Amino acid sequence: MTRTTYWLEHAWLGTHVEPGVTVETADGRITALRTTDAEDRRDGAGGTGGPPPGAEILRGLTLPGLANTHSHAFHRALRGTVQIGSGTFWTWRDAMYAVAGRLTPDTYHALARATYAEMALAGVTCVGEFHYVHHAPGGVPYADPNAMGEALVAAAAEAGIRITLLDTAYLSAGFGRPPTGHQLRFSDGTAEVWATRSSLLKERDHARIGAAVHSVRAVPADQLATVARWAEERRAPLHVHLSEQPAENEACREAHGRTPARLLADHGVLGPRTTAVHGTHLTEEDVALVGAASTGTCMCPTTERDLADGVGPAGALQRAGSPLSLGSDSHAVIDLLEEARAMEMNERLRTRTRGHWTAAALLRAATADGHAALGWEAAGTLETGALADFTTLRLDSVRTAGPLPRLGAETAVFAASAADVRHTVVGGRHVVRDGAHVLVPDVPRALETAVASLRG
């Protein structure tokens, strides 16, 4: 049995920052967590008096590991190139399709490994990969029909993080339109064939398998229930892009006489294990529908602003009963602290008032609620029995120096960035130590090489 003791100079315990916390781990879980009471401090035993003998010392503020609830790993190759000039979501999509068309299992593995390593450097310990590039160009299955998904699962293991592979049904180019061009790589033809292929994927210690409906435009209404049933039978997470664009809402009303949210509800897609991604252009009735079903919402503010999608009603969704999580989606940046900050700042701009979420609530969206949305309920908290996944931020950088340590949650959300991550621990072992990835020695070079291989 592998045992490690960590001493956390400061730790966020969900409601407050506690100084001098000792965490014992064994076989990937937290087996004991001890804070320092006043007598301990006077006696100098552990706590602020110093770490116990032999403990790994984590200086700074330690948080539960961050959950990146919504990722398209191959979009990382678009960073910088799609910020040139103007356009819309739909013109951006053309550039995205071009990169998707050049992927192979080997190049996808290399890019995902580097991208997930970048996530680890940013404090992410678990990623939800919304995966829909399933087949070879032209839609021909690989000899292993899940070669692309297996490449992603292997990439996460090599980068040292957990993954929920959200195998995505993507069957049409729009309402009543068959897939063409690059979209042929995404399609299994029918939801039944998708379900047969997805059932071949196996979970591992670091990997869970979930499902996704790409969108109501990409899965015919009469096949939505098949995907929902697949997830229900396995009690697996089910994710779906929802109302990201007004054009999608208009086309759905024209085809079905109802909004995407209502269409999903009518076919059994909404529910407590479902997470709707974006929800940018929901009606008040849609918000009530999502909340009443206890369907979660994943907000991706850095992507939503990069693509000029708009600002979703995150506050209204949470008040209606929808748990919030966060994702970096297209990876214009990979910084879950920025996603948390942006969700609050977007709401301030919309309402012209401040303070819609506390720092603790924003950190919960980035940790416990994100992990729950990905099916890792035992992660995202610092407590006995939880998975030993955590990340430590510097409190002495130019961004974080100055505030009292007890304001560490506020400092993390409103001042810190991914650049302040000092350590990342997954399953009780260091993946990032002193700002360096221990499994992928040169992450920038790995990214540079992987992206260069996909240039047209």
Side-chain angles (χ1 to χ4, degrees), residues 23-63:
V23 173
E24 295 179 5
T25 72
D27 287 349
R29 289 188 178 260
I30 297 174
T31 55
L33 185 148
R34 295 190 300 276
T35 59
T36 307
D37 61 25
E39 184 175 352
D40 290 331
R41 289 172 187 155
R42 284 195 300 271
D43 293 343
T48 54
E56 292 255 12
I57 299 171
L58 304 185
R59 297 282 181 190
L61 173 69
T62 298
L63 312 170

Coordinates of all heavy atoms in Angstrom, one line a residue, residues 23-63:
V23 N -2.5 16.0 5.7 CA -3.3 15.1 4.9 C -2.6 13.8 4.7 O -1.4 13.8 4.2 CB -3.7 15.7 3.5 CG1 -4.4 14.6 2.7 CG2 -4.6 16.9 3.7
E24 N -3.1 12.7 5.1 CA -2.5 11.3 4.9 C -3.3 10.7 3.8 O -4.5 10.7 3.7 CB -2.6 10.5 6.2 CG -1.8 11.0 7.3 CD -1.9 10.2 8.6 OE1 -2.6 9.1 8.5 OE2 -1.4 10.6 9.6
T25 N -2.5 10.1 2.9 CA -3.1 9.4 1.7 C -2.6 8.0 1.6 O -1.5 7.6 2.1 CB -2.7 10.1 0.4 OG1 -1.3 9.9 0.1 CG2 -3.0 11.6 0.5
A26 N -3.4 7.1 1.1 CA -3.0 5.7 0.8 C -3.8 5.2 -0.3 O -5.0 5.4 -0.4 CB -3.3 4.8 2.1
D27 N -3.1 4.6 -1.3 CA -3.8 4.0 -2.4 C -4.7 5.0 -3.1 O -5.9 4.6 -3.5 CB -4.5 2.7 -2.1 CG -3.6 1.6 -1.8 OD1 -2.4 1.7 -2.1 OD2 -4.0 0.5 -1.3
G28 N -4.3 6.2 -3.2 CA -5.0 7.2 -4.0 C -6.1 8.0 -3.3 O -6.7 8.8 -4.0
R29 N -6.3 7.7 -2.0 CA -7.4 8.4 -1.3 C -6.8 9.1 -0.1 O -5.8 8.7 0.4 CB -8.5 7.4 -0.9 CG -9.3 7.0 -2.1 CD -10.6 6.2 -1.7 NE -11.3 5.8 -2.9 CZ -12.4 6.4 -3.3 NH1 -12.9 7.5 -2.6 NH2 -13.1 6.0 -4.4
I30 N -7.6 10.0 0.4 CA -7.3 10.7 1.7 C -7.8 9.8 2.8 O -9.0 9.5 2.9 CB -7.9 12.1 1.7 CG1 -7.4 13.0 0.6 CG2 -7.7 12.7 3.1 CD1 -8.1 14.4 0.5
T31 N -6.9 9.3 3.6 CA -7.2 8.5 4.7 C -7.4 9.2 6.0 O -8.0 8.7 7.0 CB -6.2 7.3 4.9 OG1 -4.9 7.9 5.0 CG2 -6.2 6.4 3.6
A32 N -6.8 10.4 6.1 CA -6.9 11.2 7.4 C -6.6 12.6 7.0 O -5.8 12.9 6.1 CB -6.0 10.7 8.5
L33 N -7.3 13.5 7.7 CA -7.1 15.0 7.5 C -7.2 15.6 8.9 O -8.2 15.5 9.6 CB -8.1 15.6 6.5 CG -7.9 17.0 6.2 CD1 -8.4 17.3 4.7 CD2 -8.7 18.0 7.1
R34 N -6.1 16.3 9.3 CA -6.1 16.9 10.6 C -5.8 18.4 10.5 O -4.8 18.8 9.8 CB -5.0 16.2 11.5 CG -5.2 14.7 11.8 CD -4.3 14.2 12.8 NE -2.9 14.3 12.4 CZ -2.3 13.4 11.6 NH1 -3.0 12.4 11.2 NH2 -1.0 13.6 11.3
T35 N -6.6 19.1 11.1 CA -6.3 20.6 11.2 C -5.7 20.8 12.6 O -5.5 19.9 13.4 CB -7.6 21.4 11.1 OG1 -8.5 21.0 12.2 CG2 -8.3 21.1 9.8
T36 N -5.2 22.0 12.8 CA -4.5 22.4 14.0 C -5.3 23.2 14.9 O -5.8 24.3 14.5 CB -3.2 23.2 13.6 OG1 -2.5 22.5 12.6 CG2 -2.3 23.4 14.8
D37 N -5.6 22.7 16.1 CA -6.4 23.5 17.0 C -5.5 24.5 17.8 O -4.2 24.4 17.6 CB -7.2 22.6 18.0 CG -6.3 21.7 18.8 OD1 -5.2 22.0 19.0 OD2 -6.9 20.7 19.2
A38 N -6.0 25.3 18.6 CA -5.3 26.3 19.3 C -4.2 25.7 20.2 O -3.0 26.2 20.3 CB -6.2 27.2 20.2
E39 N -4.4 24.5 20.9 CA -3.4 23.9 21.7 C -2.3 23.4 20.9 O -1.1 23.6 21.3 CB -4.1 22.7 22.5 CG -3.1 22.1 23.5 CD -3.8 21.0 24.3 OE1 -5.0 20.9 24.2 OE2 -3.0 20.3 25.0
D40 N -2.6 22.8 19.7 CA -1.5 22.4 18.8 C -0.6 23.5 18.4 O 0.6 23.4 18.4 CB -2.1 21.7 17.6 CG -2.7 20.4 17.8 OD1 -2.3 19.7 18.8 OD2 -3.7 20.0 17.1
R41 N -1.2 24.7 18.2 CA -0.4 25.8 17.7 C 0.5 26.3 18.8 O 1.7 26.7 18.6 CB -1.3 26.9 17.3 CG -2.0 26.6 16.0 CD -3.1 27.6 15.6 NE -3.8 27.2 14.4 CZ -5.1 27.6 14.1 NH1 -5.7 28.4 14.9 NH2 -5.7 27.1 13.1
R42 N 0.0 26.3 20.1 CA 0.8 26.7 21.2 C 2.0 25.7 21.4 O 3.1 26.1 21.7 CB 0.0 26.8 22.5 CG -0.9 28.0 22.6 CD -1.4 28.2 24.0 NE -2.2 27.0 24.5 CZ -3.5 26.9 24.3 NH1 -4.2 27.8 23.6 NH2 -4.1 25.8 24.8
D43 N 1.7 24.4 21.2 CA 2.7 23.4 21.4 C 3.7 23.3 20.2 O 4.7 22.6 20.4 CB 2.1 22.0 21.7 CG 1.3 22.0 23.0 OD1 1.5 22.9 23.8 OD2 0.5 21.1 23.2
G44 N 3.3 23.8 19.1 CA 4.1 23.7 17.9 C 4.0 22.4 17.3 O 5.0 22.0 16.5
A45 N 3.0 21.6 17.6 CA 2.9 20.2 17.0 C 2.1 20.3 15.6 O 0.9 20.5 15.6 CB 2.1 19.3 17.9
G46 N 2.9 20.1 14.5 CA 2.2 20.2 13.2 C 1.7 21.6 13.0 O 2.1 22.6 13.6
G47 N 0.6 21.8 12.2 CA -0.1 23.0 12.1 C 0.9 24.1 11.7 O 1.9 23.9 11.0
T48 N 0.6 25.3 12.2 CA 1.4 26.5 11.9 C 2.8 26.3 12.6 O 3.7 27.1 12.3 CB 0.8 27.8 12.4 OG1 0.4 27.6 13.7 CG2 -0.5 28.0 11.5
G49 N 2.9 25.4 13.6 CA 4.2 25.1 14.2 C 5.1 24.4 13.3 O 6.3 24.3 13.6
G50 N 4.7 23.8 12.3 CA 5.5 23.1 11.3 C 4.9 21.7 10.9 O 4.0 21.2 11.6
P51 N 5.4 21.2 9.8 CA 4.9 19.9 9.3 C 5.4 18.7 10.2 O 6.4 18.8 10.8 CB 5.5 19.9 7.9 CG 6.7 20.7 8.0 CD 6.5 21.8 9.0
P52 N 4.6 17.6 10.1 CA 5.1 16.4 10.8 C 6.3 15.9 10.1 O 6.5 16.1 8.9 CB 3.9 15.5 10.7 CG 3.0 16.0 9.7 CD 3.3 17.5 9.5
P53 N 7.2 15.1 10.8 CA 8.4 14.6 10.2 C 8.0 13.7 9.0 O 7.1 12.9 9.0 CB 9.0 13.7 11.3 CG 8.4 14.3 12.6 CD 7.1 14.8 12.2
G54 N 8.8 13.9 7.9 CA 8.7 13.1 6.7 C 7.6 13.5 5.8 O 7.4 12.9 4.7
A55 N 6.8 14.6 6.1 CA 5.7 15.0 5.3 C 6.2 15.7 4.0 O 7.2 16.4 4.1 CB 4.7 15.9 6.1
E56 N 5.5 15.6 2.9 CA 5.7 16.4 1.7 C 5.0 17.8 2.0 O 3.9 17.9 2.4 CB 5.0 15.8 0.5 CG 5.6 14.5 0.1 CD 6.4 14.7 -1.2 OE1 6.7 15.8 -1.6 OE2 6.8 13.7 -1.8
I57 N 5.8 18.8 1.9 CA 5.4 20.2 2.2 C 4.9 20.9 1.0 O 5.6 21.0 0.0 CB 6.5 20.9 2.9 CG1 7.0 20.2 4.2 CG2 6.1 22.4 3.2 CD1 8.2 20.8 4.8
L58 N 3.6 21.3 1.1 CA 3.0 22.1 0.0 C 2.8 23.5 0.4 O 1.8 23.8 1.2 CB 1.7 21.5 -0.5 CG 1.7 20.0 -0.9 CD1 0.4 19.5 -1.5 CD2 2.8 19.8 -2.0
R59 N 3.7 24.4 0.0 CA 3.6 25.8 0.4 C 2.6 26.6 -0.5 O 2.6 26.4 -1.7 CB 5.0 26.5 0.3 CG 6.0 25.9 1.2 CD 5.9 26.4 2.7 NE 6.9 25.9 3.6 CZ 6.9 26.0 4.9 NH1 5.9 26.7 5.5 NH2 7.9 25.5 5.6
G60 N 1.8 27.4 0.1 CA 0.8 28.1 -0.6 C -0.6 27.7 -0.2 O -0.8 27.3 1.0
L61 N -1.6 27.8 -1.1 CA -3.0 27.5 -0.8 C -3.3 26.3 -1.6 O -3.3 26.3 -2.8 CB -3.9 28.7 -1.2 CG -5.4 28.3 -1.1 CD1 -5.8 28.2 0.3 CD2 -6.2 29.4 -1.8
T62 N -3.7 25.2 -0.9 CA -4.1 24.0 -1.5 C -5.6 23.9 -1.7 O -6.4 24.1 -0.7 CB -3.6 22.7 -0.8 OG1 -2.1 22.8 -0.8 CG2 -4.0 21.5 -1.4
L63 N -6.1 23.6 -2.9 CA -7.5 23.4 -3.2 C -7.7 22.0 -3.7 O -6.8 21.3 -4.1 CB -7.9 24.3 -4.4 CG -7.5 25.8 -4.4 CD1 -7.8 26.4 -5.8 CD2 -8.3 26.5 -3.3

